[in-house]
Amino acid sequence: MSAKNLPARYSLAQVMVYRRKWEQALAELDSIPGGKGGVGDTIIRAQVLAGKKQFDQALALMDRLSENERRIPPVAMARAEMAAEQNDAKCVAHNVVIAAAQPSPAMLRRVRALFPFLAAKEEWKAIIACDQPLAYSDPSHAAIAVDAYFRMNDILGMTRTLHLVVKT
């Protein structure tokens, strides 16, 4: 693959992560000239560490990103998922709200996948802040959202969520 085609090189490394081929992903990243240390490189390296169950190192690596870079929704989502593995509810709550700002069904599924964790930690405000008036693919996530709205005395939000569940 051409050294000039950087997006494809990062995509290949990401595919290796999805296939759980950690060393191949790192080898691909290491072969990209001048690519080390960028946002994409950092995220993929952190995903490799997370895949190896080295969550504290993965989060430490992501913490090296600038504040602006950590506010990029996919970066925040990766941080939230890794923080959940570390049982860090405040970090999850903070980052999941940032991630939810990206209007994408795929991102919303990942955000809502953290609803059970957030509910177990009673992070009701975070659940409400990142919920969106879109159909739920998992009824348990809808139930958690309804519960969060109820606990925060937001009857309108609770009603809207119940309406979405009945409608779909």
Side-chain angles (χ1 to χ4, degrees):
M1 191 173 295
S2 167
K4 293 179 182 177
N5 195 352
L6 293 181
R9 305 280 304 273
Y10 282 111
S11 293
L12 179 59
Q14 189 67 57
V15 167
M16 293 298 127
V17 168
Y18 292 144
R19 292 183 178 170
R20 306 178 67 79
K21 295 182 179 185
W22 316 124
E23 299 312 316
Q24 289 177 339
L26 290 176
E28 184 61 34
L29 289 174
D30 289 340
S31 72
I32 298 172
K36 201 167 192 169
V39 175
D41 179 83
T42 300
I43 292 173
I44 295 171
R45 287 182 190 279
Q47 288 174 326
V48 167
L49 289 167
K52 292 179 171 185
K53 306 292 185 210
Q54 298 170 357
F55 299 107
D56 53 343
Q57 292 175 352
L59 279 170
L61 182 61
M62 303 245 337
D63 285 343
R64 293 183 196 160
L65 295 170
S66 72
E67 182 62 33
N68 285 341
E69 291 168 331
R70 288 189 301 239
R71 295 194 64 76
I72 298 169
V75 173
M77 190 67 232
R79 286 173 50 88
E81 290 165 336
M82 291 175 200
E85 292 291 341
Q86 289 293 101
N87 203 29
D88 185 344
K90 295 297 177 198
C91 185
V92 173
H94 172 76
N95 283 288
V96 80
V97 172
I98 296 168
Q102 179 173 320
S104 136
M107 183 65 78
L108 185 58
R109 279 190 298 278
R110 289 173 67 191
V111 165
R112 286 178 174 169
L114 290 174
F115 277 14
F117 174 86
L118 291 166
K121 303 298 181 183
E122 298 185 359
E123 291 287 345
W124 309 117
K125 287 181 182 177
I127 293 169
I128 290 171
C130 63
D131 193 34
Q132 297 176 20
L134 299 171
Y136 290 84
S137 57
D138 185 327
S140 69
H141 299 161
I144 290 169
V146 167
D147 189 32
Y149 285 113
F150 176 76
R151 289 173 185 264
M152 299 305 296
N153 295 316
D154 184 343
I155 303 306
L156 184 60
M158 185 176 77
T159 304
R160 185 194 72 217
T161 303
L162 285 170
H163 180 72
L164 274 172
V165 171
V166 171
K167 194 168 92 174
T168 54

